[in-house]
Amino acid sequence: MDISEIIIAGDTPGIEWRLPVFRFKGRSAAAPKTYIQAALHANELPGTALAHFLLQRLQQADKDGGILGDITIVPQANPIGTAQSHFGELQGRFDLGSRTNFNRDFPLISLTDRDTLIDDLDRHSATDRLKRQLLHMALGADLMLDLHCDDEALQYAYIDDAFWPEAGDLASALDMEAVFLSDGESSAFEEAVAYAWKYETGQKKARLPGRLSVTVELRGTRDVYPELARKDAEGVFRFLVARGVVAGDEEPIAPFAGIVAPLDNIEMIRAPEAGAILFHRDIGETVKAGDLLATILTRPGRADGALEVRAPQDGLIVTRVSTRLARRRSDLMKIACAAPSGAGRKPGPLEA
Ligand SMILES: [Zn+2]
């Protein structure tokens, strides 16, 4: 295992960021190359914990001569966001300087232009340098896992339908409860990687066998525990064995048995007005159309001071916000359903 650091110059004098990168050299040139990063949204740490245990497991495999394909792991991909702690709260999702989501606005380029990402980096801000370095590493791989988490959530993933159903092995190995099939219409990291691969084929809706680029949502922000992280690391290890990246005699992975829903079938439950949120239902629960999900106390103490929010159709509650104050139109839940939402949806990601 080789450990190095990418150094990113800050935008003000005296500042620089250090990004540790762990690399394993595979002994088979034909085996898939893998890139895994965690905590691109800096406050999402279940993936960092996963990476810690996965690195231990891979070091053992390395000693046993079991690493077949090159593996690169960045356990904490966003030192800039990690430092954005203000008034006791970490703001790890948006870059404070540009107000840009750290997981949006990745350059959409072809694979042949990969090296231009790190040409002349002096022309770019620290955050853009970071994004370009990360994407450059990922575009050297065939399999890319971007490890995130939601607010309160089940284990699920966003997977471009170019990779489905082959990616069912990852979903099953990680014990996911749902897969959201995305449409390739955003500039998130996962989609920038898939964009470069699709560009090679000349087809926007190409299938990409043997490759995978995925955003894994490792439950909620507070779900950072040693047992969960070890179990998740074991899941990723089994996936790497199944894809021939690591040698092993793990049991074959069972077919994925969870819910598979295109983004159009995700009901984004929103607060109709501002107020305190009283949730009646939790993640992991199956609801029927018309079930009471939450009461919003819009004018506490008054006879007409509470609003009910009900399920628009049957489905599985996959995520829920942790805040208990709703703003008008703020998200409350994501419910995975069998039929498209009547609310309509613009192409691209579900959330800003
Ligand atoms: Zn995230």
Side-chain angles (χ1 to χ4, degrees):
M1 184 176 75
D2 170 73
I3 307 175
S4 59
E5 282 184 331
I6 293 175
I7 295 176
I8 294 161
D11 294 333
T12 49
I15 301 284
E16 67 179 22
W17 311 98
R18 288 172 175 268
L19 184 72
V21 180
F22 296 73
R23 289 189 175 89
F24 297 87
K25 188 86 199 115
R27 56 184 169 82
S28 160
K33 296 179 171 57
T34 306
Y35 174 78
I36 300 174
Q37 70 178 22
L40 178 58
H41 287 144
N43 53 335
E44 300 176 2
L45 294 163
T48 300
L50 181 161
H52 175 74
F53 292 110
L54 180 63
L55 282 166
Q56 292 179 355
R57 193 81 162 73
L58 291 174
Q59 280 176 78
Q60 186 56 49
D62 199 17
K63 285 195 190 103
D64 301 340
I67 306 286
L68 305 178
D70 294 353
I71 303 171
T72 303
I73 298 184
V74 180
Q76 207 151 11
N78 187 355
I80 299 174
T82 306
Q84 293 185 158
S85 219
H86 301 269
F87 312 111
E89 262 187 50
L90 177 60
Q91 171 49 262
R93 187 173 179 85
F94 294 90
D95 169 34
L96 285 183
S98 62
R99 300 186 187 181
T100 307
N101 186 323
F102 281 113
N103 192 24
R104 301 286 184 273
D105 280 358
F106 278 91
L108 298 177
I109 60 160
S110 70
L111 204 50
T112 45
D113 288 336
R114 178 186 169 211
D115 284 338
T116 64
L117 286 168
I118 52 169
D119 276 353
D120 211 2
L121 280 174
D122 287 346
R123 293 187 299 122
H124 300 282
S125 68
T127 297
D128 285 344
R129 285 177 192 222
L130 172 68
K131 287 178 169 175
R132 285 170 167 267
Q133 293 276 12
L134 295 173
L135 186 58
H136 183 262
M137 285 189 278
L139 289 182
D142 306 294
L143 306 172
M144 192 294 288
L145 310 186
D146 190 12
L147 305 178
H148 289 246
C149 66
D150 208 296
D151 199 352
E152 295 178 357
L154 305 177
Q155 176 104 290
Y156 74 105
Y158 292 95
I159 303 182
D160 189 312
D161 45 24
F163 307 108
W164 196 258
E166 293 87 347
D169 57 353
L170 178 71
S172 178
L174 272 172
D175 258 346
M176 289 182 198
E177 285 167 273
V179 165
F180 293 2
L181 293 180
S182 55
D183 56 11
E185 294 288 341
S186 92
S187 54
F189 190 78
E190 156 222 344
E191 295 199 0
V193 173
Y195 181 96
W197 293 341
K198 287 179 193 171
Y199 196 95
E200 275 195 313
T201 71
Q203 286 174 296
K204 205 168 169 219
K205 287 283 164 198
R207 299 203 53 77
L208 299 163
R211 281 176 161 161
L212 179 63
S213 175
V214 58
T215 302
V216 179
E217 301 285 349
L218 294 163
R219 310 178 192 84
T221 42
R222 295 179 60 193
D223 295 322
V224 186
Y225 295 101
E227 314 77 48
L228 282 179
R230 272 201 195 87
K231 174 177 181 283
D232 292 343
E234 194 55 38
V236 171
F237 189 85
R238 286 177 63 216
F239 163 76
L240 294 176
V241 171
R243 290 290 179 113
V245 179
V246 181
D249 48 11
E250 264 67 14
E251 296 269 298
I253 297 171
F256 180 59
I259 288 178
V260 182
L263 291 188
D264 286 342
N265 291 22
I266 308 304
E267 292 284 3
M268 298 292 287
I269 307 299
R270 294 200 162 90
E273 284 187 41
I277 309 167
L278 309 180
F279 278 120
H280 300 280
R281 307 300 293 263
D282 203 350
I283 56 169
E285 293 183 355
T286 302
V287 294
K288 295 276 175 211
D291 281 358
L292 181 62
L293 301 174
T295 302
I296 312 290
L297 301 181
T298 52
R299 285 168 283 278
R302 295 178 192 272
D304 61 350
L307 276 181
E308 292 182 339
V309 179
R310 292 183 177 274
Q313 59 168 319
D314 299 1
L316 173 72
I317 302 174
V318 179
T319 78
R320 190 172 86 165
V321 292
S322 58
T323 180
R324 294 298 180 258
L325 178 72
R327 297 167 68 91
R328 189 193 310 278
R329 302 299 299 155
S330 65
D331 298 338
L332 299 175
M333 288 175 165
K334 296 186 201 85
I335 304 184
C337 303
S341 165
R345 184 183 74 85
K346 288 194 206 109
L350 290 175
E351 292 163 308

